[in-house]
Amino acid sequence: MPFIKILTNLEVGDSLKAEIYKDLGKSISILPGKSEAWLMIQVESGKSLCFKGNTSSCLMAEVKLYGKASKESYDRLTTAITDMAAKKLSLPSDRVYVEFEETPFWGFEGNLF
């Protein structure tokens, strides 16, 4: 049950969002037991973001998941998200943050896992 939220101060059109969804859908399988079949993604563009004291192009990715993963898996997913930001949005790696949040509870269809 992963969820990835992308916030950026860049404007991202629908066709580019579709490409981002596809890339993230493939990348989520880096985390053991996670797949695109259960992945929800939100992309918010054109947001007011200031990073390192300026408003140059940047991106914040929040990854939430039910359960836990290893540091090595998170490191690989961080690389995949940063690479996606470079390829799709021309963002250098020093303008991308990735946050991970684990939870022991996740609700779906009116029930907890």
Side-chain angles (χ1 to χ4, degrees), residues 37-77:
W38 292 97
L39 175 62
M40 184 179 288
I41 304 167
Q42 178 182 13
V43 176
E44 293 188 24
S45 66
K47 294 299 178 183
S48 177
L49 294 173
C50 178
F51 182 43
K52 296 184 178 181
N54 65 67
T55 57
S56 296
S57 301
C58 61
L59 181 143
M60 175 69 192
E62 299 173 4
V63 181
K64 300 179 185 205
L65 72 146
Y66 171 66
K68 297 183 178 288
S70 68
K71 182 181 182 300
E72 294 79 17
S73 294
Y74 287 142
D75 186 51
R76 289 178 49 223
L77 185 55

Side-chain angles (χ1 to χ4, degrees), residues 3 8 17 21-22 26 29-30 32-33 37 41 47 54 58 61 67 72 76 81 88 93 96 102 107-109 111:
F3 173 71
T8 182
K17 281 182 185 179
Y21 297 153
K22 185 176 181 177
K26 290 178 184 175
S29 63
I30 290 170
I41 304 167
K47 294 299 178 183
N54 65 67
C58 61
E72 294 79 17
R76 289 178 49 223
I81 290 170
K88 302 297 181 191
S93 61
V96 177
E102 300 173 339
F108 176 67
E109 292 188 331
N111 298 295

